[in-house]
Amino acid sequence: MTNIFRQALKSCAAMSLVIVATGAAQADTWRYAFEEAMTDVQGVYAQKFKAEIEANSDHEIQLFPYGTLGEATDIMEQTQDGILQFVDQSPGFTGALIPEAQVFFVPYLLPTDQEHLARFFRESKAINEMFKPLYADKGLELLNMFPEGEVAMTTKTPVKTCSDLNEVKFRVMANPLLVESYRVFGATPTPLPWGEVYGGLQTNLIQGQENPTFFLYSTKIYEVTDYITYAGHNNFTSAVMANKDFYDGLSSIDQGVIQKAAAAAYDHTVVYQKQAGETELAKILEAKPEMNVTVLTEEERSCFKAAAAEVETTFIEMTGDSGAKIIAQMKADLAATAD
């Protein structure tokens, strides 16, 4: 994003603050950006959040889906600068700001059972208590985190074991722990901005990538890959945050409206994303019947699970006592929320 554009947005934000200061009772327009399209899981959450805010206050929410305000780093900067009031971003990107957030990329930490995940994210002490001060230190009010669905690998050749990823250039987010995960899986991890992934697969610059099923369909990634593999290694996680100065400056009534909207959007979205994983896979197979879909057996997953232990060790080395306490609490929370 250019400096001129960023400065223009900052000027608009400053004007909005002046208007708020001169009329406390006046309804405000709040800006909310996210990483996906309006019809994707983050978009569904955002629309429910917007509907709840506008139904229970005089405020208006403006939504900015992927690409309208730049890449992931741009919308995070804009939120920290107060240009945006809300942002929805994967811990994969916020890991550079908050190293402990990379815990969501420790393979096989999270279960594939979506109902268990929904309970865990709603009730977890690690997420709802331990992460909040870490985000606050970066000028962010963590509203909640939610799962977007099991991550699938999409590749040009079949994957049944770690050796099948040997020399495969696998696109990953620019996240150290995700890079480490695919390194120990046997692939050649290749960080790329999302906007370059389709073309990269098309030209064979990369030969694989990972994302939840609904995203494979909405972004048409299935058109440039031939194999979808479910190894059960991860679930995609999203975090909804507010600019902390903005949030702390609100009345207790407005803060309550935001918290209730976030809770309602969470309940709505965890149901939607579970259904989307099933319906969007069916759409992929309808659009491309020759697509090969594989769910790895426990035996086939064994090499990936063995590698996961090394990634967990790396995470603790990167984050020290703070990360060790968080992952231990997450494991306790997962056990407490299991059936």
Side-chain angles (χ1 to χ4, degrees), residues 57-333:
S57 74
D58 292 330
H59 305 305
E60 178 186 354
I61 299 282
Q62 287 184 337
L63 298 179
F64 297 93
Y66 172 77
T68 54
L69 295 177
E71 294 281 349
T73 52
D74 296 316
I75 60 175
M76 177 53 74
E77 286 177 7
Q78 292 167 45
T79 305
Q80 289 181 297
D81 289 344
I83 297 166
L84 294 169
Q85 283 72 48
F86 302 98
V87 66
D88 186 343
Q89 190 168 91
S90 161
F93 291 113
T94 52
L97 282 175
I98 305 163
E100 292 89 346
Q102 295 182 74
V103 70
F104 295 100
F105 291 95
V106 173
Y108 298 100
L109 175 63
L110 299 178
T112 56
D113 184 296
Q114 298 302 305
E115 291 183 2
H116 183 190
L117 272 175
R119 291 192 300 273
F120 164 71
F121 277 97
R122 185 184 291 110
E123 301 172 19
S124 168
K125 177 181 177 181
I127 288 172
N128 297 302
E129 296 181 23
M130 298 175 75
F131 269 113
K132 281 185 178 290
L134 299 176
Y135 278 76
D137 285 345
K138 302 301 179 181
L140 301 164
E141 178 72 23
L142 179 62
L143 298 178
N144 59 26
M145 292 182 176
F146 61 90
E148 292 197 48
E150 182 181 348
V151 167
M153 303 180 196
T154 59
T155 52
K156 297 192 173 190
T157 54
V159 175
K160 287 291 187 71
T161 186
C162 295
S163 60
D164 292 330
L165 288 174
N166 185 40
E167 296 186 358
V168 172
K169 291 182 179 178
F170 203 98
R171 181 268 173 176
V172 294
M173 289 183 282
N175 177 284
L177 207 68
L178 190 56
V179 169
E180 176 66 7
S181 293
Y182 275 92
R183 186 191 68 78
V184 299
F185 284 172
T188 302
T190 307
L192 271 183
W194 177 251
E196 299 176 23
V197 174
Y198 188 99
L201 288 165
Q202 200 171 33
T203 60
N204 210 41
L205 174 67
I206 52 174
Q207 296 88 43
Q209 66 88 51
E210 67 161 35
N211 261 300
T213 306
F214 77 88
F215 205 63
L216 305 182
Y217 178 73
S218 68
T219 59
K220 300 187 183 297
I221 286 295
Y222 64 87
E223 294 179 344
V224 287
T225 49
D226 299 308
Y227 295 86
I228 297 176
T229 305
Y230 295 95
H233 64 295
N234 217 330
N235 269 262
F236 197 83
T237 297
S238 196
V240 181
M241 299 152 275
N243 173 279
K244 186 153 181 62
D245 287 342
F246 154 77
Y247 183 84
D248 289 346
L250 295 173
S251 68
S252 59
I253 293 175
D254 278 345
Q255 288 182 355
V257 168
I258 289 171
Q259 292 294 335
K260 289 179 181 177
Y266 178 91
D267 291 340
H268 176 73
T269 305
V270 292
V271 173
Y272 172 83
Q273 67 88 10
K274 181 182 177 184
Q275 297 169 342
E278 300 166 359
T279 59
E280 305 310 90
L281 181 58
K283 291 177 183 177
I284 290 172
L285 293 174
E286 181 179 358
K288 188 175 181 177
E290 68 272 25
M291 177 64 77
N292 298 275
V293 179
T294 303
V295 178
L296 298 188
T297 65
E298 282 302 309
E299 182 178 353
E300 291 167 335
R301 296 179 189 194
S302 60
C303 68
F304 295 104
K305 288 188 172 182
E310 186 175 339
V311 181
E312 181 172 336
T313 299
T314 299
F315 169 75
I316 293 173
E317 290 173 351
M318 291 169 56
T319 57
D321 289 344
S322 176
K325 289 177 182 177
I326 281 176
I327 199 167
Q329 186 61 54
M330 286 179 69
K331 289 178 178 179
D333 295 340

